Amino acid sequence: MPVALHFTGDAEADELIAKDPLALLIGFALDQQITVQTAFAGPLKLKQRLGSLDATTIAGTDPAELETTFRTPPAIHRFPGSMAKRVHDLARHVSDEYDGHAERVWTQAKDAKDLEKRIRALPGFGDMKVLALSAVLSKRFGVEVATPLAPSFPTLGDVDSVEALHEYQAAKRAHKAARRAQAQH
């Protein structure tokens, strides 16, 4: 297990997402239309505001109260309402399906097909998040059932330092720019 995942540039946030499986899943849930750094810093902000990160507690929190927590400046996400709902739904799913233990998503998966099914069942997790989470689980945590799902192209799973994060983001921007240029022709 890594001591930290270098996704935020903040040591405390990077340590939290490495040691707390729910924090990792929340970071992935928030990783939409904001920077990787902001998304994966979100679980620490949420923990600081709620006092803990516990799936059952978050699932039992009044959705309006959780939305207020997300909106409190500085907002946890640029879309605090929809992301508060997504995190609430994610916490409820982890609480209901895994007795509040987020790591069971992967530790109890029988094989890659089962892991993919489990990840896809998480609220807000589609194709790209299945690939990215699988890469992180395989390459950073050594979760063998995730290896067949991890793509060959660069993902967050390849990020092992702050420098590697910057390189990954630069490559991602270049890839998107090339796709846009190709679409215009």
Side-chain angles (χ1 to χ4, degrees):
M1 298 253 309
V3 173
L5 293 174
H6 302 280
F7 296 175
T8 71
D10 176 284
E12 188 177 2
D14 288 345
E15 290 170 14
L16 179 65
I17 58 175
K19 75 176 185 184
D20 185 331
L22 182 62
L24 180 65
L25 293 182
I26 290 171
F28 271 102
L30 296 176
D31 189 17
Q32 185 173 322
Q33 298 183 333
I34 58 174
T35 66
V36 168
Q37 291 92 330
T38 301
F40 286 93
L44 177 61
K45 288 179 187 171
L46 191 58
K47 181 180 180 181
Q48 290 167 336
R49 293 173 187 188
L50 295 177
S52 72
L53 277 188
D54 175 76
T56 304
T57 302
I58 294 170
T61 300
D62 176 60
E65 184 182 322
L66 190 60
E67 182 175 335
T68 299
T69 301
F70 266 71
R71 288 187 186 282
T72 300
I76 291 174
H77 196 280
R78 72 186 275 201
F79 300 111
S82 60
M83 288 299 139
K85 180 179 181 345
R86 178 161 297 157
V87 168
H88 189 265
D89 292 347
L90 174 64
R92 186 172 339 121
H93 182 83
V94 169
S95 180
D96 293 349
E97 297 296 320
Y98 302 103
D99 197 30
H101 297 276
E103 69 277 7
R104 291 181 182 171
V105 171
W106 53 90
T107 62
Q108 294 181 345
K110 294 181 217 102
D111 54 28
K113 187 174 184 175
D114 187 36
L115 177 60
E116 181 178 5
K117 180 179 144 199
R118 290 162 173 262
I119 296 171
R120 283 188 188 284
L122 298 171
F125 283 68
D127 292 344
M128 292 307 295
K129 290 185 185 183
V130 168
L131 297 175
L133 177 57
S134 296
V136 169
L137 291 173
S138 173
K139 296 175 181 180
R140 297 291 128 227
F141 292 95
V143 176
E144 291 185 24
V145 294
T147 301
L149 300 173
S152 58
F153 56 82
T155 67
L156 280 174
D158 299 300
V159 173
D160 58 3
S161 66
V162 174
E163 296 78 22
L165 176 62
H166 295 304
E167 290 169 14
Y168 163 73
Q169 289 181 305
K172 188 174 176 181
R173 282 190 298 275
H175 177 71
K176 284 183 177 182
R179 279 196 353 224
R180 280 193 300 274
Q182 191 176 39
Q184 293 175 351
H185 287 45

